[in-house]
């Protein structure tokens, strides 16, 4: 079964906690701290696999987790890093954040590998917190928490040209004639149940890729029929070949058909009908007695050429007029940007720290004569921040100000020179 959409849950690895321990050696009765650092958690990595052309694997397995970092150990031993997890995807997969439907990354073009979620950094062992005034710290830094996301994966085929039209108008026959693709062909609706790609080779001209999009019907953009399942595959195409049953072999009006399909394209994506479009008036070898080929083509041209759509007569069955369409499409592509259509990122999960929803407390410890700031938000901030660097310390100060922690301290009477404690770390308060 062709699968071009899947929803999965991914989680990076949690960083290992730093260890609290002290040297216990013969003749060293009061050894210093020797707690090792925790290992880093594993990352979630996306990678293009050119051997894949479907998302079927992700229909069966929906949860993916990287390995957690190992806790630090005695004798300054660092914990092992967690294993990364690599998710292989077919070229052209667009990865979105499920709740907002915003694009995270488009796995196409130059993007063949992408680190989606980095693992949590391992926490520092208590050896890092020894000072001249606190030589036996009983605090170690916790590892950064795991990050998690629910993703929507959408495979949007990479093709230069898309074939659109009602069911049974000859799209599959056309594709089989212009390329080596062999889609199933039969005289009933919805024979094509998945997009087919064909490569067009032209003498004295560059070839291109054509996608046969399964038949659309009215209401497709609202979920009617099968066509709405495959509208996403048109989004990368640069030129559309709109195949229509010009002979009306099923009793439908070709002009009404073209308008109906373009309406569905506009409802799905308002930019699609604005793309260069050739109307291929097909099945002219099957016109009824009393019909005039010239009259049929004349009606189509007078209706659509003023709108910028070129009309070409053809018969996909006999091959008449096909070559002219192929070379005209090549001319159109030559006037367009040859870069592939890549969807821009709208959501970067690994760069914004979602700390604002976590609680914290600010209290005065009369026994120690210290102000104490604690809570999950503070713990996460300390895990993410390297306070030994100037950049990290500036971020730390901004965090305290933006989260109104400095205001809360002053409300409790904290003044310059007072001590503020955060999970075993002590700071002198200055404005």
């Amino acid at each position: 079964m062709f699968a071009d959409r899947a929803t999965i849950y991914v989680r990076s690895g949690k960083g290992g906690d730093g260890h609290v321990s002290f040297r216990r050696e013969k003749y060293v009765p009061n050894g210093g701290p020797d707690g090792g650092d925790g290992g880093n958690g594993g990352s979630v990595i996306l990678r293009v696999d050119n051997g894949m052309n479907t998302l079927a694997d992700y229909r069966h397995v929906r949860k993916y987790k990287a390995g957690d970092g190992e806790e630090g150990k005695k004798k300054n031993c660092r914990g092992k890093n967690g294993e990364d997890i690599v998710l292989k995807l077919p070229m052209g997969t667009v990865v979105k954040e499920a709740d907002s439907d915003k694009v995270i990354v488009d796995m196409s073009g130059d993007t063949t590998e992408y680190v989606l979620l980095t693992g949590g950094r391992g926490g520092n062992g208590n050896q890092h917190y020894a000072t001249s005034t606190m030589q036996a710290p009983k605090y170690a830094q916790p590892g950064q928490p795991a990050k998690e996301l629910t993703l929507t994966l959408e495979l949007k085929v990479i093709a230069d040209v898309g074939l659109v039209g009602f069911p049974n108008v000859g799209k599959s026959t056309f594709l089989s004639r212009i390329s080596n693709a062999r889609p199933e062909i039969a005289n009933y609706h919805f024979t094509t149940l998945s997009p087919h790609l064909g490569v067009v080779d032209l003498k004295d001209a560059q070839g291109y890729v054509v996608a046969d999009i399964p038949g659309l019907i009215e209401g497709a953009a609202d979920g009617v029929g099968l066509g709405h399942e495959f509208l996403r595959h048109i989004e990368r195409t640069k030129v559309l070949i709109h195949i229509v049953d010009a002979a009306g072999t099923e009793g439908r009006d070709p002009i009404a058909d073209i308008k109906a399909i373009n309406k569905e394209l506009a409802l799905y994506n308002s930019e699609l009908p604005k793309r260069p479009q050739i109307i291929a008036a097909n099945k002219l070898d099957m016109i009824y007695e009393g019909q005039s080929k010239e009259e049929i083509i004349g009606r189509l041209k007078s209706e659509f050429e003023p709108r910028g759509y070129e009309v070409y007569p053809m018969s996909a069955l006999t091959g008449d007029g096909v070559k002219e369409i192929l070379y005209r499409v090549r001319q159109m592509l030559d006037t367009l940007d040859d870069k592939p259509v890549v969807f821009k990122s709208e959501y970067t999960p690994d760069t914004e720290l979602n700390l604002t929803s976590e609680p914290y407390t600010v209290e005065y410890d009369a026994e120690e004569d210290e102000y104490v700031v604690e809570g999950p938000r503070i713990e996460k901030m300390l895990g993410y921040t390297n306070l030994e660097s100037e950049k990290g310390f500036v971020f730390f100060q901004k965090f305290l100000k933006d989260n109104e922690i400095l205001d809360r301290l002053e409300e409790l009477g904290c003044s310059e020179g007072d001590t503020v404690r955060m999970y075993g770390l002590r700071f002198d308060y200055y404005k």
Side-chain angles (χ1 to χ4, degrees), residues 43-48 58 64 84-88 113:
S43 298
V44 179
I45 300 171
L46 308 179
R47 185 176 296 159
V48 169
Y58 298 99
Y64 298 87
D84 295 338
I85 185 169
V86 178
L87 305 184
K88 295 182 179 180
E113 185 167 303

Side-chain angles (χ1 to χ4, degrees), residues 288-344:
Y288 299 112
E289 289 187 15
Q291 289 183 308
S292 166
K293 174 180 173 181
E294 288 74 20
E295 181 182 346
I296 293 171
I297 299 302
R299 283 182 60 221
L300 290 170
K301 285 187 174 184
S302 61
E303 180 70 33
F304 294 107
E305 288 196 342
R307 307 184 189 192
Y309 298 158
E310 299 178 19
V311 179
Y312 284 80
M314 77 160 192
S315 169
L317 188 64
T318 65
D320 291 343
V322 170
K323 184 183 295 186
E324 289 78 2
I325 292 175
L326 298 182
Y327 278 94
R328 178 60 186 135
V329 168
R330 180 67 264 172
Q331 291 175 350
M332 288 180 168
L333 291 172
D334 288 340
T335 65
L336 303 174
D337 189 349
D338 60 357
K339 293 182 180 178
V341 177
V342 176
F343 296 90
K344 293 182 179 178

Side-chain angles (χ1 to χ4, degrees), residues 10-241:
V10 296
R11 195 205 76 166
S12 65
K14 176 188 178 301
D17 294 338
H19 191 68
V20 176
S21 62
F22 299 90
R23 291 172 59 195
R24 291 292 181 263
E25 300 176 26
K26 196 173 183 180
Y27 308 120
V28 187
N30 296 310
D34 69 348
D37 300 344
N40 296 330
S43 298
V44 179
I45 300 171
L46 308 179
R47 185 176 296 159
V48 169
D49 183 343
N50 291 319
M52 295 177 66
N53 56 16
T54 175
L55 296 172
D57 292 348
Y58 298 99
R59 291 283 186 91
H60 305 295
V61 181
R62 295 176 180 252
K63 291 186 177 181
Y64 298 87
K65 298 179 181 180
D68 292 337
E70 192 176 47
E71 184 180 338
K73 297 179 175 60
K74 296 179 180 180
K75 299 182 179 179
N76 298 328
C77 291
R78 189 177 189 277
K80 291 182 180 178
N81 292 337
E83 292 288 333
D84 295 338
I85 185 169
V86 178
L87 305 184
K88 295 182 179 180
L89 300 170
M91 177 72 79
T93 302
V94 177
V95 181
K96 297 181 179 180
E97 197 276 323
D99 292 334
S100 65
D101 204 39
K102 291 183 177 180
V103 174
I104 297 174
V105 63
D106 183 353
M107 301 300 291
S108 61
D110 295 331
T111 305
T112 58
E113 185 167 303
Y114 180 80
V115 179
L116 179 72
L117 295 174
T118 55
R121 193 170 63 225
N124 291 330
N126 68 333
Q127 58 171 312
H128 293 276
Y129 302 107
T131 66
S132 58
T133 58
M134 186 170 61
Q135 297 183 6
K138 296 180 181 179
Y139 169 82
Q141 188 181 38
Q144 286 183 350
K147 302 170 191 171
E148 55 185 14
L149 272 177
T150 301
L151 306 175
T152 300
L153 308 179
E154 289 186 352
L155 176 58
K156 300 175 188 279
V157 299
I158 300 176
D160 303 299
V161 180
L163 304 181
V164 298
F166 268 78
N168 207 27
V169 295
K171 297 192 301 298
S172 295
T173 303
F174 180 77
L175 185 67
S176 66
R177 175 167 288 280
I178 65 176
S179 70
N180 289 326
R182 290 294 174 262
E184 184 179 353
I185 299 171
N187 190 30
Y188 53 86
H189 290 185
F190 301 122
T191 306
T192 303
L193 298 179
S194 62
H196 289 283
L197 297 180
V199 179
V200 176
D201 292 321
L202 300 174
K203 291 183 178 180
D204 306 322
Q206 185 180 351
Y208 48 87
V209 179
V210 178
D212 173 15
I213 309 301
L216 305 178
I217 60 175
E218 286 188 85
D222 296 323
V224 178
L226 297 179
H228 77 289
E229 292 288 344
F230 304 105
L231 277 166
R232 68 180 65 93
H233 296 293
I234 305 175
E235 291 187 272
R236 291 193 197 273
T237 59
K238 299 173 183 177
V239 175
L240 298 178
I241 299 178

